[in-house]
Amino acid sequence: MVEMLRMEHISKRFGSFYANRDVSLSIREGEVHTLLGENGAGKSTLMNILVGLYQPTGGKILHRGREVRINCPRDAAGLGIGMVHQHFMLVEAMTALENVVLGVKGESPLLSRSADRARIGALSERYGLDVELDSPVRELSIGAQQRVEILKALYRGADLLVLDEPTAVLTDPEVERLFDVMRSLTAEGKSAVFISHKMREVMRISDRITVLRAGKSVATVEVGRASAQSLANLMIGHEFVESVYEKAKAPGEEVMRLADVSLHPSLKHGGLRDVSLTLRRGEILGVAGIDGNGQSQLARVITGLEAPEGGTVVAPDGPVSVFSPEAFIEAGMADIPEDRNAMGLVGDMSVAENLVLKKTDSKRFSYARGAWLKTGAIRAFAEEMREKNDIRCVSVGQAARSLSGGNQQKVILARELYGNPSILVAVYPTRGLDVSATNFVHDVMISERDNGCAIILISADFDEVLKLSDRIIVLFEGRVMGTYPGKGAPVKEISLAMAGK
């Protein structure tokens, strides 16, 4: 196969820290080339260099055999390189059509809507990228927003598409649809760089795989000559052994109950209808279901972000009509939110500041109930949490948004689980995490359960629900379809319930 692009001996240093060190990567025409590595291994940094968002400290890039310098994303687009970032770069108030053509210099400063629509429509039909072009982006599903991003890149002439964790927020049908798009692109000789942690997906869609570890490229292998186990071993530098857990033997007393709770019941997707459940001390209650069937709304009700329109929530101190986030925290409960960037962290604050967000009025960290913070005590606490939770950062003074996804999740875990909460609401707790970080999160959750914490696990990963749950409920279109044992779970019956049967 013809080589399209080569990155040779690329290094990128931030101060004294090397995010990439002497990394080499070649991409052929018509292939899906996967970048695999732990959170923080340098995958996104390497691709941000390729698209001109970062400048390398050392090394060179060759495009079709000619050395090039990519100073900005416009230079990358001129070479036919486009990137779909993990967090989409879209203007939510604008339509899909306006987002696709935004920033493209034409002969006229005015939008030529008919010509633009015809060209985008042809691209959409050619690659199976169906999108409502006149809908504001904020009204589109996550999968549709991703298709808008792909259309943006193709509209600018991309023949090399970089996809950074593209399946992290997609449902299974949307993943299949994305893979169909990728196959249609490579069938025409276009190439894709696929960044992912999901081994099953990597093994299915990849032609070749390059593994990064601690900022260095350690191997490039043909997919037919690799196994999920061998790739995991390469990622972490030693043999990976996945943890296996026993189910809880004797859950304790009831700590929370929802009785006939409804929220936006008229909505087929995004509402709750007469949901009843119980949560007991020392157990994990798994919530299974295809994404978008009320899971987010259930979490919002339990954590007090939204008051139910009907039914009763019985919290530790008895029935409540309005259960606020403040009451949730004061009752000794913890929350791993579904979107760690938008809901779990303040990105511009430091790691240390994020670790004490819920405790800034405590005597340990402040004078006069939060009026003045004890920076020395906060830093000492942060260093302790960094060590205990293996948070990999240059400094606890580093901005939280600059951490990898896995390390951001570890910051949230450390903050939420400090002080032994009575209830933990864990929503998609391993979304976008590598195998090692996922194992770490699972180990922590099981440890908390065994210490008496009541955990409600909401996950679109069916295998994760089966692995961790002591009891399982299934949500479909906002209703509880059934309750099942975690031990010897009836997989076929649960699968049918997830489909509404």
Side-chain angles (χ1 to χ4, degrees), residues 95-407:
T95 67
L97 173 65
E98 290 166 341
N99 269 277
V100 171
V101 302
L102 186 65
V104 179
K105 188 176 181 180
E107 296 178 1
S108 166
L110 301 175
L111 281 175
S112 177
R113 288 189 179 272
S114 58
D116 292 330
R117 186 183 298 276
R119 183 179 167 198
I120 294 167
L123 287 170
S124 175
E125 183 174 352
R126 182 173 172 182
Y127 298 111
L129 293 164
D130 182 44
V131 172
E132 291 289 337
L133 292 177
D134 295 318
S135 296
V137 162
R138 63 170 171 264
E139 296 179 6
L140 300 178
S141 69
I142 295 297
Q145 290 182 31
Q146 187 179 77
R147 293 194 291 276
V148 173
E149 286 280 27
I150 295 173
L151 279 170
K152 274 176 57 179
L154 296 176
Y155 183 77
R156 287 157 176 76
D159 55 18
L160 172 57
L161 196 62
V162 179
L163 300 161
D164 190 0
E165 297 284 358
T167 65
V169 293
L170 300 185
T171 63
D172 288 344
E174 287 173 331
V175 170
E176 293 302 320
R177 189 170 184 175
L178 173 65
F179 283 2
D180 288 342
V181 171
M182 293 171 67
R183 293 185 186 102
S184 65
L185 290 169
T186 55
E188 291 191 0
K190 297 181 185 293
S191 304
V193 176
F194 180 58
I195 302 176
S196 178
H197 298 117
K198 299 182 179 180
M199 286 296 184
R200 283 180 300 175
E201 295 175 359
V202 167
M203 298 303 290
R204 280 185 54 206
I205 197 64
S206 308
D207 295 300
R208 289 190 302 155
I209 301 162
T210 293
V211 179
L212 298 187
R213 185 170 72 240
K216 299 178 181 180
S217 49
V218 295
T220 296
V221 296
E222 303 283 343
V223 71
R225 298 181 179 180
S227 66
Q229 180 68 51
S230 67
L231 291 171
N233 295 347
L234 284 170
M235 282 172 58
I236 64 178
H238 56 81
E239 185 173 0
F240 173 71
V241 180
E242 187 174 7
S243 297
V244 178
Y245 311 110
E246 292 185 1
K247 301 301 181 182
K249 292 182 172 60
E253 71 275 16
E254 178 183 298
V255 294
M256 177 174 276
R257 183 171 75 253
L258 273 64
D260 301 318
V261 165
S262 293
L263 177 70
H264 314 311
S266 61
L267 296 178
K268 185 177 181 180
H269 297 286
L272 298 175
R273 292 183 283 174
D274 302 319
V275 169
S276 297
L277 61 85
T278 59
L279 188 59
R280 299 184 180 278
R281 190 176 303 283
E283 75 162 356
I284 296 178
L285 174 65
V287 180
I290 298 170
D291 210 3
N293 278 278
Q295 294 96 323
S296 296
Q297 290 68 33
L298 177 61
R300 292 178 68 83
V301 166
I302 293 174
T303 57
L305 290 173
E306 286 197 68
E309 296 170 16
T312 305
V313 177
V314 179
D317 294 327
V320 290
S321 57
V322 179
F323 193 38
S324 68
E326 293 79 12
F328 180 84
I329 294 170
E330 289 170 3
M333 305 184 201
D335 175 32
I336 302 173
E338 61 180 296
D339 188 332
R340 54 180 165 264
N341 289 285
M343 303 168 67
L345 297 167
V346 182
D348 291 331
M349 284 187 174
S350 69
V351 171
E353 289 167 334
N354 274 278
L355 283 167
V356 298
L357 276 179
K358 295 168 73 172
K359 303 181 184 302
T360 53
D361 61 351
S362 72
K363 290 182 180 180
R364 179 176 178 180
F365 301 122
S366 70
Y367 304 98
R369 293 186 60 83
W372 295 278
L373 296 177
K374 299 178 180 178
T375 56
I378 290 173
R379 176 171 285 276
F381 173 75
E383 291 290 357
E384 178 188 337
M385 292 297 100
R386 174 187 184 180
E387 180 74 20
K388 180 179 179 181
N389 294 277
D390 190 30
I391 300 169
R392 301 177 188 179
C393 55
V394 177
S395 160
V396 293
Q398 182 178 347
R401 73 169 66 257
S402 66
L403 299 183
S404 68
N407 286 299

Side-chain angles (χ1 to χ4, degrees), residues 48-56 61 68-79 81:
N48 282 330
I49 289 171
L50 180 60
V51 298
L53 289 173
Y54 292 157
Q55 295 303 304
I61 300 173
V68 295
R69 185 166 181 85
I70 303 174
N71 295 308
C72 63
R74 187 179 292 277
D75 290 346
L79 295 169
I81 303 169

